[in-house]
Amino acid sequence: MTIQSLSSNFADRHIGARRQADIDTMLKAVGYDSLDGLVDTAVPDSIRQENPLKLQDALSEAEVLAELRRLASKNR
């Protein structure tokens, strides 16, 4: 794999598999037919949030780095 073939998109590099074929392969390896089934087993009802999170739109990697630099500049 060359550097040129690597994605420069932060989400593509860090979020994990998004192609259904990759997801199906991973689910089969851990013995589940669906992500919902895996999550139902892994995450107890007692800690699940009933309402969806109200999140802002995702930032690009460059925007995140700029924001981190801004916050770091406040350090004394």
Side-chain angles (χ1 to χ4, degrees), residues 6 22 24 26 34 38 50-51 59-60 66 68 70 74:
L6 295 174
D22 294 336
D24 291 342
M26 288 187 277
S34 69
L38 175 61
E50 292 182 23
N51 300 317
L59 300 175
S60 69
L68 289 172
R70 186 189 70 76
K74 293 181 176 185

Side-chain angles (χ1 to χ4, degrees), residues 7-64:
S7 172
S8 62
N9 184 308
F10 182 85
D12 289 340
R13 293 195 322 265
H14 297 281
I15 291 179
R18 287 182 278 168
R19 287 187 356 198
Q20 192 60 49
D22 294 336
I23 293 168
D24 291 342
T25 299
M26 288 187 277
L27 286 169
K28 183 178 178 183
V30 295
Y32 288 90
D33 294 328
S34 69
L35 285 173
D36 287 338
L38 175 61
V39 170
D40 287 343
T41 300
V43 182
D45 289 337
S46 62
I47 65 168
R48 291 186 187 198
Q49 184 171 329
E50 292 182 23
N51 300 317
L53 295 174
K54 295 177 184 175
L55 301 174
Q56 298 176 5
D57 290 338
L59 300 175
S60 69
E61 185 172 3
E63 291 168 323
V64 169

